[in-house]
Amino acid sequence: MKEYSPVKEGKVRELYDAEDSLIMVATDRISAFDHILQNDIVDKGVVLTQMSKFWFDYTKDVVPNHMISTDVKDMPEFFQNEKFEGRSMMCKKLDMLPLECIVRGYITGSGWASYQKTGEVCGIKLPEGLQESEKLPEPIFTPSTKAEIGDHDENISYEKSIEVLEKNYPGHGEEYAKKVRDLTIAVYKKCADYALEHGIIIADTKFEFGLNEEGEIVLADEVLTPDSSRFWPLEGYEVGKSQPSYDKQFVRDWLKANPDSDYKLPQDVIDKTIAKYKEAYTLLTGKEL
């Protein structure tokens, strides 16, 4: 049996090169404030992979995606065991665009902080008088650069995203920037509408795109997971304050309240976190893991 080692390790994911495809494995690691925490959140990787699979299937009429299979039986023998079961996705190889494609449907987090100071979010002027957690008149596209582990992503303007893409793909910067902006908003709208019907507000999220061999833009990485999005329960949603969430905000809040934790979580925070992830998965898919 051929052995495989990760060709790339992110904060949460490991990427394996299987020659004509990639195997993307979601670990149970969790990161916050650009640090990988000392604890694993057991089953988190399974939730992330299965939720991405759900959304890739749901959005394939809007944009093609990189998913081939999440069944380890379709993968090389090395991956056909319990360690990789449920958390692995066989993907098409792509030339990944160097952007985090962030879309905000509600004003919260760093966007709210920026709006309070300047009336803008990432250079986009917003209406006066918005309250925290309020739904925006229209979703806004606020891209960022993709940072290496340990570095911070840098928020950039749409115009700057054209420059970044032009530098990497001469003659195509404006074309690709417009396409990913429009696809980001289209996918968000479709999925946010669906989620709302199932009791979840998707306040914001980020997507990543790549180019296939034909030069077509393809949705990749993870899609609308609690790691890449802010999920709020619709029940109890109230404008004018921060919202409880199904995502990592619970972990972030605990870390902020415990600055001497050395990025180690107590067991009750771990248990509550995975319960939130699984609850979001069940609400959205109608299935239990």
Side-chain angles (χ1 to χ4, degrees):
M1 178 179 70
K2 181 177 177 180
E3 299 278 326
Y4 288 84
S5 297
V7 293
K8 186 177 180 183
E9 290 194 62
K11 295 185 188 105
V12 171
R13 282 172 180 71
E14 296 172 347
L15 208 56
Y16 297 80
D17 190 338
E19 284 139 33
D20 55 350
S21 65
L22 293 172
I23 311 293
M24 191 167 70
V25 179
T27 71
D28 289 337
R29 295 192 296 265
I30 189 166
S31 70
F33 305 119
D34 291 319
H35 282 78
I36 297 169
L37 275 58
Q38 293 191 43
N39 317 79
D40 282 350
I41 309 290
V42 176
D43 286 340
K44 175 175 168 283
V46 176
V47 177
L48 298 185
T49 297
Q50 298 306 315
M51 196 174 281
S52 283
K53 178 187 185 302
F54 172 80
W55 290 119
F56 279 133
D57 285 335
Y58 187 69
T59 58
K60 62 188 177 186
D61 62 329
V62 179
V63 57
N65 62 67
H66 73 163
M67 182 175 69
I68 299 171
S69 176
T70 56
D71 188 340
V72 292
K73 295 188 187 74
D74 296 330
M75 302 175 198
E77 187 184 351
F78 176 79
F79 299 95
Q80 295 178 23
N81 61 64
E82 194 176 331
K83 178 185 174 186
F84 295 101
E85 185 79 48
R87 63 179 67 246
S88 305
M89 183 177 289
M90 180 183 251
C91 308
K92 298 166 189 167
K93 288 186 172 181
L94 302 172
D95 177 16
M96 295 300 293
L97 301 180
L99 288 180
E100 299 267 4
C101 294
I102 297 164
V103 54
R104 303 168 192 259
Y106 294 72
I107 189 153
T108 185
S110 62
W112 171 241
S114 171
Y115 174 76
Q116 287 178 290
K117 288 178 188 170
T118 66
E120 298 180 349
V121 175
C122 298
I124 298 171
K125 185 75 177 166
L126 295 178
E128 291 180 13
L130 292 177
Q131 297 182 67
E132 184 177 6
S133 304
E134 188 169 348
K135 186 177 182 180
L136 297 172
E138 281 294 320
I140 57 173
F141 178 65
T142 59
S144 75
T145 57
K146 284 165 68 169
E148 297 299 317
I149 293 179
D151 294 330
H152 290 280
D153 297 338
E154 181 192 348
N155 290 329
I156 57 175
S157 65
Y158 172 67
E159 289 70 28
K160 181 69 176 175
S161 76
I162 295 174
E163 289 178 29
V164 169
L165 291 170
E166 183 65 29
K167 183 179 174 183
N168 287 268
Y169 306 98
H172 295 282
E174 192 165 357
E175 173 199 350
Y176 289 169
K178 183 179 185 305
K179 278 186 180 174
V180 296
R181 179 194 65 190
D182 293 352
L183 286 170
T184 293
I185 290 173
V187 172
Y188 170 77
K189 281 184 170 180
K190 179 181 169 94
C191 297
D193 287 349
Y194 171 91
L196 204 58
E197 292 171 4
H198 292 78
I200 289 180
I201 293 169
I202 302 175
D204 52 41
T205 192
K206 66 106 177 160
F207 301 120
E208 293 193 36
F209 296 91
L211 298 172
N212 63 15
E213 289 180 347
E214 291 75 41
E216 186 178 30
I217 289 179
V218 175
L219 184 59
D221 197 56
E222 63 180 317
V223 178
L224 291 158
T225 70
D227 268 20
S228 66
S229 320
R230 273 193 181 90
F231 289 169
W232 297 336
L234 177 59
E235 188 178 348
Y237 166 68
E238 190 180 332
V239 170
K241 61 177 188 178
S242 64
Q243 310 296 315
S245 66
Y246 288 108
D247 52 50
K248 290 193 293 187
Q249 197 58 45
F250 185 74
V251 170
R252 292 189 195 103
D253 290 346
W254 187 87
L255 289 170
K256 278 183 186 174
N258 296 272
D260 298 326
S261 65
D262 199 27
Y263 294 95
K264 186 171 184 178
L265 302 172
Q267 191 59 45
D268 68 312
V269 174
I270 294 169
D271 294 343
K272 286 175 184 173
T273 299
I274 191 59
K276 289 280 186 192
Y277 275 58
K278 287 182 174 179
E279 184 183 345
Y281 176 82
T282 299
L283 279 171
L284 290 167
T285 68
K287 299 175 185 174
E288 292 199 14
L289 287 170

